[in-house]
Amino acid sequence: MLLEFTTLESTNPRGFLRVTQLIAHLMRNQFVHAEDRGAAPLLETLHRPELNKLVEAYFDIAGYRLVHRQTEGWAGILPDLERALLPRMRIDETVVLLVMRRLWEEALRNDEIYDNGTVRTTLNEAYDAYQNIVAGTRRAGLTANDFRDVLQTLERRSIVRLGDLDADEQNMELDIRALVTSVAGDDFLASLEQLLSRPVSATADADDRTGAGGDA
């Protein structure tokens, strides 16, 4: 692998730079989406078979699968569950991820899907949906500000995108991207429903964590 990178650097410096930039981005953010600033040259790297193969091999060694969904405008890395552990998330973060998937699926059923399989809603609508889910459990709900903070964490992974704040409405647009179904797979949803239904003590709740890695 080191030899392949060295060879690429000497024969195709520009290709080497693109490969290393893409690897660094995916290691930091897990996903890259076509609608994000600066994503185009990163995704372009995967259209070149020799570069795609090198990126794929790099992550395979690390226990991850490179997934490229051109029709949905994204690429990312998902853990090979036989070799790598799922990323750990706080239960609150996982519940918000569940809400994002449910809202995406509702829009799909209503044929309200935009380019790249993106669903558009608002922060306030998503928070209302979150409150409805938490209201039926024994877990304390996030405040509106904490909910937005979690969404900003998901935004850094390109799973959602938040628009500009409307100061008058105290609201903002929220795009939920199709890759949410790869991050929050069916097994994830089932296990989360069980977690939400169990009794939770005030002290234990802060330490509860679950995994979210995808099933694509």
Side-chain angles (χ1 to χ4, degrees):
M1 176 59 67
L2 181 59
L3 177 61
E4 292 172 324
F5 273 92
T6 302
T7 301
L8 179 64
E9 184 178 19
S10 62
T11 60
N12 184 358
R14 186 176 181 182
F16 174 80
L17 179 61
R18 288 186 174 183
V19 164
T20 54
Q21 287 176 337
L22 177 59
I23 288 174
H25 180 93
L26 294 178
M27 289 180 65
R28 183 174 60 251
N29 301 312
Q30 191 178 0
F31 300 102
V32 57
H33 196 280
E35 295 170 1
D36 289 335
R37 180 178 300 175
L42 296 176
L43 290 170
E44 174 64 24
T45 303
L46 298 178
H47 291 293
R48 301 186 59 177
E50 71 280 10
L51 302 184
N52 187 314
K53 183 178 179 180
L54 191 56
V55 175
E56 188 176 52
Y58 179 92
F59 284 112
D60 180 67
I61 291 174
Y64 286 82
R65 294 179 292 113
L66 176 67
V67 180
H68 185 198
R69 296 282 177 80
Q70 296 186 48
T71 57
E72 296 175 359
W74 64 272
I77 52 173
L78 297 173
D80 181 341
L81 300 184
E82 295 183 355
R83 296 189 295 148
L85 296 175
L86 287 171
R88 307 302 290 175
M89 297 178 66
R90 291 180 60 85
I91 293 295
D92 286 337
E93 296 171 342
T94 321
V95 174
V96 174
L97 189 58
L98 166 66
V99 174
M100 296 301 103
R101 170 159 176 174
R102 286 189 172 178
L103 289 175
W104 189 90
E105 289 181 337
E106 289 174 4
L108 178 65
R109 289 195 294 269
N110 295 328
D111 196 25
E112 298 173 347
I113 300 290
Y114 291 82
D115 292 344
N116 295 319
T118 296
V119 165
R120 178 156 295 169
T121 182
T122 68
L123 173 64
N124 290 345
E125 288 173 350
Y127 185 60
D128 287 343
Y130 164 80
Q131 288 182 306
N132 288 337
I133 289 177
V134 175
T137 73
R138 302 185 183 186
R139 311 192 75 85
L142 295 169
T143 66
N145 286 337
D146 288 340
F147 181 78
R148 185 173 65 179
D149 288 344
V150 173
L151 286 180
Q152 289 172 337
T153 299
L154 298 181
E155 184 177 35
R156 287 192 288 272
R157 297 172 65 193
S158 295
I159 299 171
V160 302
R161 181 171 66 178
L162 288 164
D164 295 329
L165 176 66
D166 184 325
D168 293 332
E169 298 291 334
Q170 285 298 298
N171 201 3
M172 57 181 62
E173 287 186 344
L174 170 63
D175 285 353
I176 306 171
R177 292 161 168 173
L179 70 87
V180 71
T181 62
S182 293
V183 179
D186 294 335
D187 292 343
F188 162 79
L189 293 179
S191 63
L192 183 58
E193 293 288 2
Q194 295 173 359
L195 287 169
L196 288 174
S197 65
R198 76 186 186 190
V200 179
S201 67
T203 56
D205 186 58
D207 295 328
D208 261 347
R209 295 182 184 274
T210 188
D215 61 354

